[in-house]
Amino acid sequence: MTNLLILPILIPLFTAIILMFISKYVKLQRGISALSTLATVAASLVLINTVHQDGIQTVNLGSWEAPFGITLVSDMLSALLVTTTSIIALVVLIYSFKSIGVDRERFYYYPVVQFLLVGVNGAFTTGDIFNLFVFFEVMLMSSYVLLVLGGTKAQLREGIKYILVNVISSALFVITVAYLYSVVGTLNMADISRKIAIVDQPGIITSIAILFLLVFGLKGAIFPLYFWLPGSYSAPPTPVLALFGALLTKVGVYSIIRTYTLFFYHDTGFTHEILSMLAILTIVLGCIGAIAYWDVKKIIIYNIVIAVGVILFGVSTMNPEALEGAIYYLVHDMIIKAALFLLIGVMIAITGTSNLKKMGGLIKHYPWLGWTFLVAAFSLAGIPPLSGFIGKFLIVRGSFAAEDYVGAGVVLASSLLVLYSVIKIFVNGIWGSPKEYNGVSKGDARYLWMTSAVLVVLAVGYGLGAEAIRPLFSQATEVLVNPNLYIDAVLKE
């Protein structure tokens, strides 16, 4: 047992509390936030190495042994997602120094981002289904503040919709957890898995599985529950949009992965078939949205929906290779979506608009921005040897092995439509005819670009270095394929 896995939760928690008392000192807040998040990244990297060397790490809070107390668990999947989250948060915070605005910085922007980090890292680390709900709420309350911070009309309008959707979702979450508890009598995830295996009530377990899919699908934005996403995510400023797009839906996706591989793997004929159909429909509807819009924010936002469908289709096959591809693609998508949102943020800062029809010719004065965006676009679309290709390749190969040819075809076709949607941004916004812009200075634009480019470089390295890091993803997949590894590590059996 090690306390190391608590650090990515405790560091941002204590940082947020400290920052609340110095809200008027913007430069001090910036420094403390950056250093704290850097420490979180360092702790997360050490955690990955520890899990890789010593296996799954657990902590029983208050020394109450599982399954009676609250347990935190870090397997390789959890450690990878915590590390990716912390790196993205660090880059977004540094980007915010020149983009979010002093008024928002003084109104608790940095402490709320740290609270968001607490919620996301906690959700990835908890081994207790009720505390997954608790960390969800920490994350959501932080996102409510970030969504309306600044008080523009669009933010307040979309904030109301976003809050209403998530209040309903949270209520359904509690009801579903209570329903599950009434059947198995425990909240510890490992213990739930063990007891579900011996509960001879398949109809009730299937009903609970569908309810969890509704809850996490609403938070993860799968078809038909993604209706709130495009409007809500397009309202806040770029750094907040990058955090939302990279992290929030991925917590819902992670929750589906965890529950559908740990709880509901005994009878996959019905539940996973529904997951597969919804994933395919999510990809199709996401593609339609991505190619229909001329707003750069909306185009990338609908690409979030596509990625959610691709990942969950890989999970639905329950094939080891497709599961590995889903995990790889999940981490890839977190990094590349954050990078793309930050890059289009630079474009919007320069041009003063998100409408592609009012942009053009940026490459003449900002060539570094144009070529960086093109590399990120190719990575998103899955052009080899970039990171998007590897995840999709494994998913498609696994789905062929599982004889799910329709889904594999949809995933392959989506790559072409994703490429079309992002190349449309490049051709019309970055290439095109030069126009006069009165946005940020070249110095500020260069700062924002350099910050964004860090994530693009990371994404490229993630693809080119896939062979070196594959043992980590194989280790993460092994726990999903064989839930007994997780159960034995938590219950010490």
Side-chain angles (χ1 to χ4, degrees):
M1 184 177 73
T2 175
N3 292 326
L4 177 62
L5 60 100
I6 303 178
L7 290 182
I9 302 172
L10 287 185
I11 293 173
L13 175 61
F14 286 123
T15 304
I17 294 170
I18 292 168
L19 292 176
M20 290 179 69
F21 292 99
I22 54 171
S23 61
K24 305 306 177 187
Y25 303 96
V26 172
K27 290 186 178 178
L28 185 58
Q29 283 195 87
R30 290 174 180 173
I32 293 174
S33 289
L35 289 173
S36 166
T37 311
L38 184 61
T40 306
V41 171
S44 304
L45 291 171
V46 174
L47 179 60
I48 283 182
N49 184 63
T50 303
V51 173
H52 183 55
Q53 299 294 331
D54 303 328
I56 299 172
Q57 303 295 300
T58 66
V59 168
N60 297 314
L61 301 183
S63 296
W64 284 82
E65 292 298 321
F68 305 107
I70 296 171
T71 305
L72 298 179
V73 185
S74 237
D75 61 355
M76 186 54 73
L77 173 60
S78 169
L80 286 169
L81 294 180
V82 166
T83 303
T84 307
T85 297
S86 304
I87 292 171
I88 290 170
L90 176 61
V91 174
V92 170
L93 280 172
I94 295 171
Y95 184 98
S96 300
F97 296 166
K98 292 279 188 180
S99 67
I100 197 69
V102 174
D103 290 341
R104 286 188 173 96
E105 287 179 306
R106 287 178 175 163
F107 206 73
Y108 302 103
Y109 170 72
Y110 293 110
V112 175
V113 170
Q114 295 295 328
F115 278 124
L116 184 75
L117 197 54
V118 172
V120 175
N121 284 348
F124 289 147
T125 307
T126 185
D128 181 285
I129 193 67
F130 184 78
N131 277 280
L132 179 62
F133 165 76
V134 172
F135 282 118
F136 255 110
E137 291 307 298
V138 173
M139 176 187 75
L140 289 173
M141 285 188 287
S142 304
S143 69
Y144 299 155
V145 177
L146 290 172
L147 181 58
V148 301
L149 194 58
T152 66
K153 184 178 179 180
Q155 285 179 281
L156 295 175
R157 182 186 66 246
E158 295 299 333
I160 292 171
K161 180 171 71 176
Y162 180 77
I163 290 171
L164 285 174
V165 166
N166 280 290
V167 165
I168 294 169
S169 171
S170 296
L172 184 59
F173 195 171
V174 173
I175 292 168
T176 306
V177 170
Y179 191 11
L180 178 63
Y181 182 78
S182 70
V183 174
V184 297
T186 183
L187 296 171
N188 182 280
M189 290 186 185
D191 201 35
I192 289 171
S193 180
R194 186 179 64 175
K195 290 184 176 177
I196 278 180
I198 58 176
V199 170
D200 189 22
Q201 301 182 64
I204 291 177
I205 298 302
T206 299
S207 300
I208 294 171
I210 298 303
L211 285 173
F212 270 120
L213 183 58
L214 285 174
V215 170
F216 298 137
L218 192 56
K219 295 180 187 295
I222 67 172
F223 174 86
L225 306 172
Y226 67 90
F227 60 89
W228 57 271
L229 183 80
S232 298
Y233 277 23
S234 62
T238 299
V240 176
L241 171 57
L243 285 173
F244 283 14
L247 304 181
L248 298 196
T249 54
K250 305 309 183 294
V251 178
V253 169
Y254 164 80
S255 301
I256 293 173
I257 294 173
R258 183 63 77 191
T259 54
Y260 269 61
T261 57
L262 185 62
F263 298 172
F264 308 120
Y265 64 92
H266 305 288
D267 181 15
T268 60
F270 181 70
T271 54
H272 288 61
E273 186 65 29
I274 288 179
L275 180 60
S276 176
M277 289 189 293
L278 291 179
I280 292 170
L281 288 171
T282 302
I283 296 170
V284 172
L285 271 294
C287 287
I288 292 171
I291 63 177
Y293 279 93
W294 284 85
D295 183 290
V296 290
K297 286 186 178 180
K298 291 285 182 67
I299 291 170
I300 306 300
I301 286 170
Y302 272 100
N303 272 285
I304 296 174
V305 178
I306 297 170
V308 167
V310 170
I311 295 163
L312 292 180
F313 172 71
V315 174
S316 70
T317 65
M318 289 301 283
N319 175 280
E321 194 166 33
L323 281 170
E324 184 177 352
I327 297 170
Y328 193 94
Y329 198 82
L330 173 58
V331 175
H332 146 80
D333 194 66
M334 292 170 72
I335 297 169
I336 206 64
K337 283 299 190 308
L340 282 167
F341 280 124
L342 295 182
L343 286 170
I344 64 170
V346 182
M347 295 169 62
I348 294 169
I350 294 168
T351 62
T353 180
S354 62
N355 188 340
L356 265 181
K357 295 180 180 180
K358 297 179 181 178
M359 295 182 185
L362 286 173
I363 200 161
K364 180 177 180 180
H365 299 291
Y366 306 92
W368 26 270
L369 172 62
W371 298 121
T372 306
F373 180 87
L374 187 62
V375 171
F378 283 163
S379 181
L380 178 70
I383 303 298
L386 300 172
S387 56
F389 167 76
I390 298 161
K392 281 188 178 178
F393 174 73
L394 291 172
I395 290 171
V396 169
R397 203 161 75 167
S399 61
F400 278 146
E403 299 183 351
D404 196 337
Y405 304 114
V406 174
V410 171
V411 171
L412 289 172
S414 72
S415 296
L416 296 176
L417 296 176
V418 168
L419 182 61
Y420 170 79
S421 70
V422 287
I423 289 299
K424 184 167 72 172
I425 297 176
F426 182 80
V427 170
N428 293 278
I430 293 173
W431 207 255
S433 302
K435 298 178 182 179
E436 292 293 326
Y437 302 115
N438 298 308
V440 296
S441 66
K442 271 199 171 184
D444 285 351
R446 187 177 293 274
Y447 173 90
L448 296 176
W449 164 75
M450 290 177 65
T451 311
S452 312
V454 171
L455 288 176
V456 178
V457 171
L458 181 61
V460 171
Y462 182 59
L464 297 178
E467 192 63 33
I469 60 175
R470 187 169 185 184
L472 302 180
F473 289 89
S474 297
Q475 186 175 351
T477 306
E478 190 179 3
V479 176
L480 301 184
V481 173
N482 183 8
N484 287 324
L485 296 174
Y486 185 99
I487 296 169
D488 293 343
V490 174
L491 301 179
K492 305 295 188 296
E493 293 182 345

